[in-house]
């Protein structure tokens, strides 16, 4: 019996030599007649690129095997000018079965392309590089004129080389944090051409000078263009408010003869945009003789909690100057020479020295003649005093204080201290003219103080210990101090004031 040996059937694809060859082999066990042959893989044809916007179309001729069978795939590559392969867009990556592909959103630059034939797992030789194509960077072009005045104004223009399908927003002066501008893109989202006409609105609140518009695409494209805002100011500045206030601060609107003061004003320039303020002056000659053009300088100032943008240097009221209301004006001129003189401002000259007018107590605690929580001490001046001088930051509204009742050999006394009980307030001393209100010093903490007109009312809080009850009525005596002033800065008389009838038990 004849034994048949295993025969390995092989197929070899071979080319004698050179880079345009590929060898292929298949094998397996079996019996039968053997045969062999050689087939070469073709070299890719040089592709032809074409560009539309950021889209590069690549096309090439079909590659055939020796038996005229077309290969079933191609590998497309993109190179930079140094011959370094780049990551190619998804529509041209992997195995491309067609004879064309389009790389979308191609990065800006100069690129060449090659094609390599592929048949199943076998590769032919890579083609020669195509001619280079230039993909332009995204651009924003503004149509002249690009100098705007007045504002708001609209700039027209066009974008090009943006990625297909992008939407665009516009920012002012900074691509990340700049103000988002109102704008329109005629073809939105961006079409295949990568281009569209656009318009952008520049708002009023933009300063004169050079600015930049940024067009930001949703896929990361970015372009910019500059424009100029020309000052367009045909409107006079606005003087919204003004006040004269004494140099020691506190209540504004009052001054005394020979007293020092400042002039404050709130001034803004108008325009679209404005040209800026050139000068601000005040005519206070009714208060200070000859002071017709007192210069005010820009800054941040406060009177009675109200902010002002301009203030004069220190001024001195004439001495003498008659008491009464004194009108003054403020004049503002902008760089474009628009001028306004604002009238209607006034200050009161007060030359009268304030004094103590009356002192009383009010029983609110229940036991007459005993200082208790709820009782009141009422101090009345001859005119309204400046609350800011009595207690820093005080406006006359209810505020915390401490009443100190002290046992003194000649008679018990009352003083008003701050809420922390660390400093006596400049309200002088009230002598109760009796020695039987307390035997030791008592602090009435959590007391409150208010001012209405020329009257200050202090309501007693809880005493720090036991107090006693006065056995009989007596007239109190209030001695003020001259460290407290009226609204014009006149120091208080220190003349004592005895409690006005009727005679009663205090507290």
């Amino acid at each position: 019996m004849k034994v048949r040996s295993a025969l390995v059937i092989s197929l070899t694809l071979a080319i004698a030599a050179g880079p345009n060859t590929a060898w292929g082999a298949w094998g397996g066990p079996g019996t039968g007649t053997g045969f062999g042959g050689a087939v070469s893989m073709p070299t890719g044809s040089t592709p032809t690129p074409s560009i539309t916007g950021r889209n590069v179309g690549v096309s090439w001729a079909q590659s055939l095997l020796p038996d005229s069978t077309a290969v079933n795939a191609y590998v497309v590559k993109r190179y930079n000018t140094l011959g370094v392969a780049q990551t190619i867009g998804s529509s041209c990556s992997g195995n491309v079965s067609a004879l064309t592909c389009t790389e979308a959103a191609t990065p800006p630059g100069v690129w060449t392309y090659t094609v390599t034939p592929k048949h199943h797992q076998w590769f032919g030789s890579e083609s020669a590089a195509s001619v280079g194509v230039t993909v332009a960077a995204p651009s924003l072009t503004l149509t002249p004129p690009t100098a705007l005045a007045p504002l708001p104004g609209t700039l027209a223009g066009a974008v090009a080389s943006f990625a297909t399908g992008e939407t665009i927003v516009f920012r002012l002066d900074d691509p990340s944090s700049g103000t988002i501008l109102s704008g329109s893109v005629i073809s939105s989202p961006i079409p295949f051409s990568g281009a569209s006409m656009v318009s952008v609105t520049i708002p009023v609140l933009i300063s004169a000078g050079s600015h930049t518009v940024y067009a930001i695409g949703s896929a990361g494209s970015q372009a910019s263009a500059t424009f100029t805002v020309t000052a367009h100011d045909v409107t006079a500045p606005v003087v919204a408010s003004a006040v004269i206030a004494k140099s020691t601060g506190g209540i504004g609107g009052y001054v005394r003869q020979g007293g020092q003061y400042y002039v404050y004003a709130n001034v803004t320039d108008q325009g679209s945009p404005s040209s800026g303020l050139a000068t601000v002056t005040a005519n206070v000659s009714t208060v200070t003789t000859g002071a017709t053009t007192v210069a005010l300088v820009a800054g941040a100032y406060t009177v009675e909690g109200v902010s002002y943008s301009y203030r004069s240097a220190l001024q001195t009221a004439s001495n003498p100057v008659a008491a009464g209301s004194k009108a003054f004006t403020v004049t503002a001129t902008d760089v474009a020479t628009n001028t306004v003189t604002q009238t209607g401002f006034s200050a009161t000259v007060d030359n009268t020295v304030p004094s103590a007018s009356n002192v009383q107590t009010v029983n609110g605690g229940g036991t007459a003649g005993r200082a208790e929580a709820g009782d009141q001490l009422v101090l009345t001046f001859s005119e309204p005093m400046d609350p800011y001088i009595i207690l820093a930051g005080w406006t006359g509204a209810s505020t915390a204080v401490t009443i100190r009742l002290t046992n003194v050999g000649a008679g018990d006394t009352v003083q008003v201290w701050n809420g922390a009980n660390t400093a006596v307030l400049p309200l002088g001393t009230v002598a109760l003219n009796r020695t039987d209100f307390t035997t030791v010093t008592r602090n009435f903490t959590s007391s409150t103080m208010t001012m209405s007109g020329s009257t200050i009312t202090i309501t007693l809080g809880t005493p720090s210990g036991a107090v006693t009850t006065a056995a009989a009525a007596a007239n109190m005596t209030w001695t003020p101090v001259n460290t407290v002033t009226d609204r014009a800065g006149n120091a208080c008389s220190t003349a004592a004031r005895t409690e006005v009838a009727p005679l009663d038990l205090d507290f």
Side-chain angles (χ1 to χ4, degrees), residues 77-125:
K77 293 184 178 181
R78 173 165 54 86
Y79 292 87
N80 65 14
T81 55
L82 299 177
V84 178
Q86 308 294 299
T87 300
I88 200 164
S90 60
S91 59
C92 286
S93 64
N95 294 327
V96 180
S97 58
L99 297 179
T100 183
C101 69
T102 299
E103 184 180 18
T106 309
V110 179
W111 312 112
T112 59
Y113 289 82
T114 66
V115 171
T116 300
K118 182 180 179 184
H119 195 69
H120 300 298
Q121 71 269 44
W122 307 109
F123 292 87
S125 295

Side-chain angles (χ1 to χ4, degrees), residues 105 118 174 265 407 417 428:
K118 182 180 179 184
D174 188 283
N407 177 260
W417 289 59

